[in-house]
Amino acid sequence: MHAPLDDELAAFHIGGGGAITSWNASCRRLLGYDEKVALGQAAEFLLSPLPEQAGMLRGQPNGDAAAELELGRADGSRARFDLRLLPQRDGAGPDGSIVLLAPARPALSEREQIGALQLKSLMSLGSNNFCVINNSGRLTLWNKRVEETTQLNSDELADAAAIDLFPEAQRPLVRDKMREVLQQDAEVQLEADLVAKDGHATPYLFAASRFKCHGHYYVFCLGMDISQRRRGEEALRLRERALHATSNGVLITRCAGENNPIDYVNPAFEQITGYSTAEAIGSDPRFMAAPGLDEAERGQLRIAIAERREANVVFRNLRKNGELFWNDLTITPVRGDNGQVSHYIGIINDVTALKQRTSLLEHEVNHDTLTGLANRNLLWDRLEQALHTAQRNKSLVAVLLVDLNKFKLINDTLGHEAGDEVLKMVARRLQAAVRESDTVARLSGDEFVLILADQPSLRYTLRMLERLRSSLAKPMVFEGKDISVGASMGVSVYPHDGCSALDLVRAADVAMYDAKTSGDQSVHLFSADMRSCTEAKQKLETDLRNALANNEVFLMYQPKWSLHSGRLSGIEALLRWRHPELGVLLPTSFLSDAEESGLIVPLGQWVLEHACAMLRRLAALGHGEIALSMNASYREFIQDNYVADVGAMLKRFGVAPRNFELELREDHLMRDPHLSRDVAEAARALGIQLAVDDFGAGSSNLPYLQSMPLHHLKMTRASVREICPRTNSGRLAKTLIDIGHNMGFAVVAEGVETDAQRSFLKHCGCDDAQGHIFSAPLSQRALEALLADAALEVH
């Protein structure tokens, strides 16, 4: 028999077959099922259809058991009950039946249910470390995260003191904080590292407080892993150090509408601007602006800020001391999570020194070193600008070419220091006589070009030209001496004389040479007749270019005779041009134009190559001691490495340098004495002979010539022509011969045409002579025939 069920307790009996066999009144009140409905039902109809709950009733417990199960009510709702399972026995033992008692308890609210949860069930939730430390400093409770962080199992943690989980250096601080919590009931926060068994340390933020249990105090400790925060902080510190270390100024401003107040500046900003952080913070960066300067660049910056985009500008700002500096500024917008610009980062770079160096370099590139005037580069640029302005304004542009007449004489008589000072004074006078909008340039040597821009009329231009002429007509003063410097001036006017810069300069050049030829010290304006002359020059230049390509040039050879022995002493290579229309032309017909156009350089190269080939042929014919001379113009020997190139050509043809002589005009040598000396020294080092041509044609710098490594002086033809056959007089020729011998040089007379001239020269001790009295210039074949006559002599 089963024990009767107490109606105060909700109880029902489950028989051995698993069906409900008894059901009391409390069950009816709690669950709503009538006894007639419940009896005979399988017990599972009351339970939630969760497998683990239904399975509880199918097992046969060996003793009492308790469980919390969810039972279904007749109205369809469900409620949880604490059930106690009591196995029933008879005299033979367990009879397989179970009595379940369901003490009624009021339903708990959600807050009460959560509050009733046990601490241990919450400890392992989340990724934080949780532990409880007793008054002895040992762990009494911890979660799984503590074991993972320290790499210690539960037994090892139970044996460890909490302080041992921290680095040695941090333990005193941790111990003090634990003491504060236990003794003073303080709530503390602490950043410290937990050290794992393998030595790896993990930074944590700990929050600790005290609680009491059964009369004892414990430390409740919660730890949050701050590794990621530490990495972020380190990155921020690194960026901060970088901002402090950089040589560029950095400022950060808020994007606040019209004004953008500064939130941050680095030390480089303070150094560049002179403003301290305290003075800069809160101010708009425009407080450093230089009023009235670089408005276009500041406008670009304002537009970029308004459009919330990056920008780079270079403008001038003011330092705190009022000094201007060039600021290369780059601004970059910073956008927040919402995509809106919240700040701007500005990078400033003080480029004042760079600007100054660039300005100086530009000045050096575009200005003459001696006078400070514009050079060729700047001249062409200024002239092009003036022409564009004149075309737009329908005005005139005058180009004035000035060539000093007596500059060579000043250099020769007073020295190059005086010549340089004269050039400076001329430059100052020219600049003083024109407007700021005009340009004065130095081309080279003693040549100047002036651009008189935006001329309203030709009459206005003529007045300016007269002012310039009068300015240069006044003597210059150097070391107390008056120096008279005349000038030949030629003028061309846009658009009458040309529409391009090149045409105008060429026209002014033609007019200047016309003025130099006339010698009247007046200003010559370009005319139509001069234009015809220019066109003729241009045609000649074109024909001369074609002459080299079409093999129209050739060499003749002028023998040179010793007046002492009467034998052939050398030959001179003479250039000829077989013009297809004009016939054979002498050098005087085209060399000056070739010099002006620069064609003299390829012509000279051609002469050098064919002269070397001739020397090689003569050596092959047994005349290896014959010396050959050729002329070299100023335009040629000022070329870089000219003498070295001559030496290379001699070596290419196997010619001994002693058999080759360069003839340089005296006036060409004096155009640049320093360069001429370098050329002469280089020639002597190679063993090449050097002769001065046209000696006595003008004023000679005898000390300079005596210092040069020369072999021959060739007298001017005019000195030979002055030899009078009736009086047997030739004072100039005799003087030049004596001067040459006194300086230790052999003297050569050229252009000897008569017996009287030959006799006089021989009597005066002239060393060598050449001219038609001896032989006309010969072709190669005729020269070879002449040399074949070994007994040939002249007397």
Side-chain angles (χ1 to χ4, degrees), residues 167-186:
E168 185 72 31
Q170 297 179 7
R171 289 176 186 176
L173 177 61
V174 174
R175 185 179 292 108
D176 291 343
K177 292 298 181 182
M178 289 176 61
R179 188 178 296 114
E180 286 183 35
V181 174
L182 288 170
Q183 296 179 2
Q184 303 175 21
D185 194 17

PDB file of all heavy atoms in Angstrom, residues 167-186:
ATOM      1  N   PRO A 167      54.832  41.018 -12.028  1.00  0.00           N
ATOM      2  CA  PRO A 167      56.285  41.200 -12.141  1.00  0.00           C
ATOM      3  C   PRO A 167      56.871  41.719 -10.833  1.00  0.00           C
ATOM      4  O   PRO A 167      56.192  42.402 -10.050  1.00  0.00           O
ATOM      5  CB  PRO A 167      56.431  42.243 -13.271  1.00  0.00           C
ATOM      6  CG  PRO A 167      55.140  42.212 -14.020  1.00  0.00           C
ATOM      7  CD  PRO A 167      54.106  41.838 -13.023  1.00  0.00           C
ATOM      8  N   GLU A 168      58.138  41.435 -10.625  1.00  0.00           N
ATOM      9  CA  GLU A 168      58.816  41.804  -9.388  1.00  0.00           C
ATOM     10  C   GLU A 168      58.718  43.308  -9.138  1.00  0.00           C
ATOM     11  O   GLU A 168      58.467  43.747  -8.015  1.00  0.00           O
ATOM     12  CB  GLU A 168      60.290  41.394  -9.479  1.00  0.00           C
ATOM     13  CG  GLU A 168      61.085  41.608  -8.205  1.00  0.00           C
ATOM     14  CD  GLU A 168      60.723  40.602  -7.111  1.00  0.00           C
ATOM     15  OE1 GLU A 168      60.359  39.461  -7.460  1.00  0.00           O
ATOM     16  OE2 GLU A 168      60.792  40.989  -5.926  1.00  0.00           O
ATOM     17  N   ALA A 169      58.897  44.103 -10.194  1.00  0.00           N
ATOM     18  CA  ALA A 169      58.925  45.563 -10.025  1.00  0.00           C
ATOM     19  C   ALA A 169      57.566  46.122  -9.634  1.00  0.00           C
ATOM     20  O   ALA A 169      57.495  47.195  -9.021  1.00  0.00           O
ATOM     21  CB  ALA A 169      59.409  46.224 -11.323  1.00  0.00           C
ATOM     22  N   GLN A 170      56.471  45.421  -9.986  1.00  0.00           N
ATOM     23  CA  GLN A 170      55.135  45.941  -9.716  1.00  0.00           C
ATOM     24  C   GLN A 170      54.558  45.435  -8.389  1.00  0.00           C
ATOM     25  O   GLN A 170      53.503  45.913  -7.952  1.00  0.00           O
ATOM     26  CB  GLN A 170      54.189  45.561 -10.866  1.00  0.00           C
ATOM     27  CG  GLN A 170      54.574  46.176 -12.206  1.00  0.00           C
ATOM     28  CD  GLN A 170      53.632  45.750 -13.323  1.00  0.00           C
ATOM     29  OE1 GLN A 170      52.619  45.091 -13.084  1.00  0.00           O
ATOM     30  NE2 GLN A 170      53.978  46.126 -14.547  1.00  0.00           N
ATOM     31  N   ARG A 171      55.191  44.474  -7.766  1.00  0.00           N
ATOM     32  CA  ARG A 171      54.618  43.845  -6.577  1.00  0.00           C
ATOM     33  C   ARG A 171      54.419  44.805  -5.413  1.00  0.00           C
ATOM     34  O   ARG A 171      53.380  44.736  -4.720  1.00  0.00           O
ATOM     35  CB  ARG A 171      55.483  42.656  -6.151  1.00  0.00           C
ATOM     36  CG  ARG A 171      55.374  41.491  -7.118  1.00  0.00           C
ATOM     37  CD  ARG A 171      56.299  40.346  -6.747  1.00  0.00           C
ATOM     38  NE  ARG A 171      56.272  39.309  -7.782  1.00  0.00           N
ATOM     39  CZ  ARG A 171      57.039  38.221  -7.779  1.00  0.00           C
ATOM     40  NH1 ARG A 171      57.906  38.037  -6.770  1.00  0.00           N
ATOM     41  NH2 ARG A 171      56.961  37.351  -8.755  1.00  0.00           N
ATOM     42  N   PRO A 172      55.368  45.729  -5.132  1.00  0.00           N
ATOM     43  CA  PRO A 172      55.114  46.653  -4.012  1.00  0.00           C
ATOM     44  C   PRO A 172      53.839  47.476  -4.212  1.00  0.00           C
ATOM     45  O   PRO A 172      53.068  47.657  -3.269  1.00  0.00           O
ATOM     46  CB  PRO A 172      56.363  47.548  -4.012  1.00  0.00           C
ATOM     47  CG  PRO A 172      57.429  46.702  -4.640  1.00  0.00           C
ATOM     48  CD  PRO A 172      56.742  45.880  -5.684  1.00  0.00           C
ATOM     49  N   LEU A 173      53.608  47.952  -5.421  1.00  0.00           N
ATOM     50  CA  LEU A 173      52.408  48.750  -5.689  1.00  0.00           C
ATOM     51  C   LEU A 173      51.155  47.895  -5.539  1.00  0.00           C
ATOM     52  O   LEU A 173      50.155  48.323  -4.939  1.00  0.00           O
ATOM     53  CB  LEU A 173      52.484  49.357  -7.090  1.00  0.00           C
ATOM     54  CG  LEU A 173      51.267  50.169  -7.540  1.00  0.00           C
ATOM     55  CD1 LEU A 173      51.050  51.358  -6.615  1.00  0.00           C
ATOM     56  CD2 LEU A 173      51.431  50.630  -8.983  1.00  0.00           C
ATOM     57  N   VAL A 174      51.181  46.661  -6.069  1.00  0.00           N
ATOM     58  CA  VAL A 174      50.026  45.768  -5.955  1.00  0.00           C
ATOM     59  C   VAL A 174      49.739  45.456  -4.489  1.00  0.00           C
ATOM     60  O   VAL A 174      48.578  45.453  -4.039  1.00  0.00           O
ATOM     61  CB  VAL A 174      50.268  44.479  -6.766  1.00  0.00           C
ATOM     62  CG1 VAL A 174      49.130  43.493  -6.538  1.00  0.00           C
ATOM     63  CG2 VAL A 174      50.410  44.800  -8.240  1.00  0.00           C
ATOM     64  N   ARG A 175      50.798  45.218  -3.706  1.00  0.00           N
ATOM     65  CA  ARG A 175      50.627  44.885  -2.276  1.00  0.00           C
ATOM     66  C   ARG A 175      49.981  46.058  -1.532  1.00  0.00           C
ATOM     67  O   ARG A 175      49.091  45.880  -0.709  1.00  0.00           O
ATOM     68  CB  ARG A 175      51.989  44.548  -1.664  1.00  0.00           C
ATOM     69  CG  ARG A 175      51.914  44.060  -0.224  1.00  0.00           C
ATOM     70  CD  ARG A 175      53.289  43.721   0.330  1.00  0.00           C
ATOM     71  NE  ARG A 175      53.856  42.559  -0.327  1.00  0.00           N
ATOM     72  CZ  ARG A 175      54.877  42.597  -1.199  1.00  0.00           C
ATOM     73  NH1 ARG A 175      55.416  43.770  -1.511  1.00  0.00           N
ATOM     74  NH2 ARG A 175      55.346  41.506  -1.751  1.00  0.00           N
ATOM     75  N   ASP A 176      50.450  47.296  -1.862  1.00  0.00           N
ATOM     76  CA  ASP A 176      49.875  48.477  -1.196  1.00  0.00           C
ATOM     77  C   ASP A 176      48.398  48.626  -1.540  1.00  0.00           C
ATOM     78  O   ASP A 176      47.571  48.976  -0.680  1.00  0.00           O
ATOM     79  CB  ASP A 176      50.638  49.733  -1.623  1.00  0.00           C
ATOM     80  CG  ASP A 176      52.054  49.758  -1.057  1.00  0.00           C
ATOM     81  OD1 ASP A 176      52.325  49.000  -0.110  1.00  0.00           O
ATOM     82  OD2 ASP A 176      52.887  50.531  -1.583  1.00  0.00           O
ATOM     83  N   LYS A 177      48.038  48.379  -2.789  1.00  0.00           N
ATOM     84  CA  LYS A 177      46.647  48.540  -3.197  1.00  0.00           C
ATOM     85  C   LYS A 177      45.754  47.485  -2.519  1.00  0.00           C
ATOM     86  O   LYS A 177      44.623  47.772  -2.109  1.00  0.00           O
ATOM     87  CB  LYS A 177      46.531  48.431  -4.715  1.00  0.00           C
ATOM     88  CG  LYS A 177      47.174  49.582  -5.474  1.00  0.00           C
ATOM     89  CD  LYS A 177      46.518  50.920  -5.156  1.00  0.00           C
ATOM     90  CE  LYS A 177      47.125  52.059  -5.929  1.00  0.00           C
ATOM     91  NZ  LYS A 177      46.509  53.361  -5.584  1.00  0.00           N
ATOM     92  N   MET A 178      46.247  46.261  -2.397  1.00  0.00           N
ATOM     93  CA  MET A 178      45.470  45.220  -1.719  1.00  0.00           C
ATOM     94  C   MET A 178      45.268  45.584  -0.253  1.00  0.00           C
ATOM     95  O   MET A 178      44.196  45.352   0.330  1.00  0.00           O
ATOM     96  CB  MET A 178      46.176  43.865  -1.849  1.00  0.00           C
ATOM     97  CG  MET A 178      46.121  43.297  -3.269  1.00  0.00           C
ATOM     98  SD  MET A 178      47.054  41.753  -3.421  1.00  0.00           S
ATOM     99  CE  MET A 178      46.183  40.723  -2.271  1.00  0.00           C
ATOM    100  N   ARG A 179      46.294  46.188   0.345  1.00  0.00           N
ATOM    101  CA  ARG A 179      46.189  46.581   1.744  1.00  0.00           C
ATOM    102  C   ARG A 179      45.139  47.685   1.903  1.00  0.00           C
ATOM    103  O   ARG A 179      44.379  47.719   2.861  1.00  0.00           O
ATOM    104  CB  ARG A 179      47.559  47.044   2.251  1.00  0.00           C
ATOM    105  CG  ARG A 179      47.604  47.304   3.751  1.00  0.00           C
ATOM    106  CD  ARG A 179      48.993  47.711   4.219  1.00  0.00           C
ATOM    107  NE  ARG A 179      49.952  46.636   4.014  1.00  0.00           N
ATOM    108  CZ  ARG A 179      50.980  46.686   3.155  1.00  0.00           C
ATOM    109  NH1 ARG A 179      51.179  47.780   2.431  1.00  0.00           N
ATOM    110  NH2 ARG A 179      51.812  45.671   3.039  1.00  0.00           N
ATOM    111  N   GLU A 180      45.111  48.623   0.934  1.00  0.00           N
ATOM    112  CA  GLU A 180      44.098  49.680   0.989  1.00  0.00           C
ATOM    113  C   GLU A 180      42.689  49.099   0.947  1.00  0.00           C
ATOM    114  O   GLU A 180      41.787  49.530   1.660  1.00  0.00           O
ATOM    115  CB  GLU A 180      44.276  50.645  -0.192  1.00  0.00           C
ATOM    116  CG  GLU A 180      45.458  51.583  -0.091  1.00  0.00           C
ATOM    117  CD  GLU A 180      45.511  52.536  -1.263  1.00  0.00           C
ATOM    118  OE1 GLU A 180      44.423  52.938  -1.743  1.00  0.00           O
ATOM    119  OE2 GLU A 180      46.618  52.878  -1.715  1.00  0.00           O
ATOM    120  N   VAL A 181      42.502  48.099   0.098  1.00  0.00           N
ATOM    121  CA  VAL A 181      41.170  47.511  -0.045  1.00  0.00           C
ATOM    122  C   VAL A 181      40.764  46.801   1.243  1.00  0.00           C
ATOM    123  O   VAL A 181      39.652  46.974   1.764  1.00  0.00           O
ATOM    124  CB  VAL A 181      41.132  46.548  -1.235  1.00  0.00           C
ATOM    125  CG1 VAL A 181      39.797  45.830  -1.302  1.00  0.00           C
ATOM    126  CG2 VAL A 181      41.402  47.292  -2.529  1.00  0.00           C
ATOM    127  N   LEU A 182      41.652  45.963   1.790  1.00  0.00           N
ATOM    128  CA  LEU A 182      41.314  45.150   2.946  1.00  0.00           C
ATOM    129  C   LEU A 182      41.207  45.972   4.222  1.00  0.00           C
ATOM    130  O   LEU A 182      40.316  45.748   5.056  1.00  0.00           O
ATOM    131  CB  LEU A 182      42.354  44.039   3.127  1.00  0.00           C
ATOM    132  CG  LEU A 182      42.287  42.898   2.091  1.00  0.00           C
ATOM    133  CD1 LEU A 182      43.499  42.001   2.214  1.00  0.00           C
ATOM    134  CD2 LEU A 182      41.006  42.087   2.279  1.00  0.00           C
ATOM    135  N   GLN A 183      42.109  46.924   4.395  1.00  0.00           N
ATOM    136  CA  GLN A 183      42.163  47.639   5.665  1.00  0.00           C
ATOM    137  C   GLN A 183      41.321  48.900   5.672  1.00  0.00           C
ATOM    138  O   GLN A 183      40.817  49.313   6.723  1.00  0.00           O
ATOM    139  CB  GLN A 183      43.620  47.985   5.993  1.00  0.00           C
ATOM    140  CG  GLN A 183      44.498  46.757   6.216  1.00  0.00           C
ATOM    141  CD  GLN A 183      45.945  47.120   6.513  1.00  0.00           C
ATOM    142  OE1 GLN A 183      46.280  48.299   6.590  1.00  0.00           O
ATOM    143  NE2 GLN A 183      46.777  46.115   6.703  1.00  0.00           N
ATOM    144  N   GLN A 184      41.188  49.563   4.498  1.00  0.00           N
ATOM    145  CA  GLN A 184      40.493  50.840   4.458  1.00  0.00           C
ATOM    146  C   GLN A 184      39.180  50.766   3.685  1.00  0.00           C
ATOM    147  O   GLN A 184      38.523  51.783   3.503  1.00  0.00           O
ATOM    148  CB  GLN A 184      41.398  51.901   3.830  1.00  0.00           C
ATOM    149  CG  GLN A 184      42.735  52.071   4.529  1.00  0.00           C
ATOM    150  CD  GLN A 184      43.647  53.041   3.796  1.00  0.00           C
ATOM    151  OE1 GLN A 184      43.179  53.858   3.024  1.00  0.00           O
ATOM    152  NE2 GLN A 184      44.943  52.910   4.046  1.00  0.00           N
ATOM    153  N   ASP A 185      38.817  49.575   3.250  1.00  0.00           N
ATOM    154  CA  ASP A 185      37.596  49.397   2.472  1.00  0.00           C
ATOM    155  C   ASP A 185      37.567  50.338   1.266  1.00  0.00           C
ATOM    156  O   ASP A 185      36.543  50.906   0.904  1.00  0.00           O
ATOM    157  CB  ASP A 185      36.358  49.622   3.339  1.00  0.00           C
ATOM    158  CG  ASP A 185      35.091  49.116   2.648  1.00  0.00           C
ATOM    159  OD1 ASP A 185      35.229  48.327   1.682  1.00  0.00           O
ATOM    160  OD2 ASP A 185      33.993  49.529   3.041  1.00  0.00           O
ATOM    161  N   ALA A 186      38.769  50.553   0.646  1.00  0.00           N
ATOM    162  CA  ALA A 186      38.868  51.452  -0.508  1.00  0.00           C
ATOM    163  C   ALA A 186      38.524  50.687  -1.779  1.00  0.00           C
ATOM    164  O   ALA A 186      38.748  49.481  -1.891  1.00  0.00           O
ATOM    165  CB  ALA A 186      40.280  52.012  -0.608  1.00  0.00           C
TER     166      ALA A 186
END
